[in-house]
Amino acid sequence: MLDFRRLILICEFSRRGSIAGVAESLGYSPSAVSQQLAALERETGTALLDRTARSAELTDAGRRLVAHAERILTMVEEAESDLSAQAGTPTGRVVLTAFPTAAVAFAPALARSLRRHTGLTLRLGQSRSGRGMREVQSGEVDIALVDDWYGRARDSDSLRVFPLLHDPLVLVVPRKHRLAAVDVPIDLRELRDEPWMATPDGEPSRLAVDRLFADVGGARPTPWEFEGLGTILSLVAKGIGIAAVPALALAAGVRGIAVREFPGSPVGRDVNAVARGSSVHRPSVSVTLRAIHVAARLLAADLEPVRLAHR
């Protein structure tokens, strides 16, 4: 009989593409992963990996086994969800990951909402943009809050996507900046020579700023680059420059800035929750998804007046 844990390993190898990647993802040593995959080959009686001195890849038999294993793992999770649903009480641990601004913004409402479920524990971590869906797919986490700048997030055979809110870019300036006055019109072409603060080239929010200027036919500004929207907001508050950031970043409560909406239909992102279809009926996951939706409605309501306010 095939070992269940080894099936998890070969599925993870299919996703990561290397033994080192599997080891890092699941917290094993590379030698332990290699030994377990070799044991799986002995169980199946066939070569599952084509190994060289520096790399390994799945054989045709390995790819066929991965397809079977993914179906088996999905069926096991569906069985667990069905049995848990019969119990009706959310218990155990739910692992949630989110991009950094969402983690900060959603955490207070989730903690307040879920603490009444005494048998449930929540682990909320942060992941870089683009990793959340992969972590749900691999089973590392139960739910991910992901940002979608291009409207591409869709349900798949194994994943469910739940829309939460739209998060537009807003202009943040120091409180004493001329554009802090709401009656002063915003012209992006006139802002190109301002001292801009932005995330590094290639980051999703930086690409969104570039699109913002492209939409008005202007050259993008050459900004000072900083990791983290919180850092950028603190620099704006100190009067060092201006920035365009997603409105959700304002949930951290930075003082000393003024916030303006861009004219027209500004660039923005959709914020979604993603979970495996096989797990959404498990009480612990279901109640957490409901809490996420409630938190999203509260945040959307809070952000509307914030976007036009001084902070």
Side-chain angles (χ1 to χ4, degrees), residues 121-136:
T121 59
L122 174 69
R123 177 186 173 188
L124 172 58
Q126 296 187 12
S127 59
R128 295 183 67 84
S129 182
R131 288 197 59 184
M133 293 187 78
R134 294 196 296 272
E135 292 174 344
V136 173

Side-chain angles (χ1 to χ4, degrees), residues 63-85:
R63 284 188 284 272
R64 289 199 300 274
L65 180 59
V66 166
H68 287 298
E70 288 178 340
R71 290 195 295 271
I72 291 167
L73 297 176
T74 296
M75 291 174 67
V76 169
E77 185 166 43
E78 288 173 344
E80 292 174 341
S81 296
D82 180 63
L83 293 174
S84 296

Side-chain angles (χ1 to χ4, degrees), residues 286-299:
S286 178
V287 74
T288 304
L289 284 170
R290 287 199 298 271
I292 288 170
H293 278 90
V294 170
R297 288 196 294 271
L298 293 173
L299 284 168

Side-chain angles (χ1 to χ4, degrees), residues 5-13 22 26 28 36-37:
R5 292 167 298 179
R6 291 168 185 154
L7 293 180
I8 294 174
L9 287 178
I10 196 166
C11 287
E12 192 67 9
F13 180 88
V22 175
L26 299 182
Y28 298 124
Q36 290 301 309
L37 290 175

Side-chain angles (χ1 to χ4, degrees), residues 136-180:
V136 173
Q137 182 78 60
S138 68
E140 297 170 71
V141 303
D142 298 300
I143 305 168
L145 300 181
V146 300
D147 54 356
D148 178 14
W149 290 93
Y150 299 98
R152 295 172 180 168
R154 297 287 188 276
D155 287 352
S156 68
D157 291 340
S158 59
L159 298 181
R160 292 280 307 280
V161 177
F162 302 91
L164 297 175
L165 56 85
H166 182 68
D167 186 21
L169 281 185
V170 293
L171 177 67
V172 290
V173 300
R175 188 178 293 173
K176 294 183 179 180
H177 193 280
R178 61 184 178 82
L179 288 176

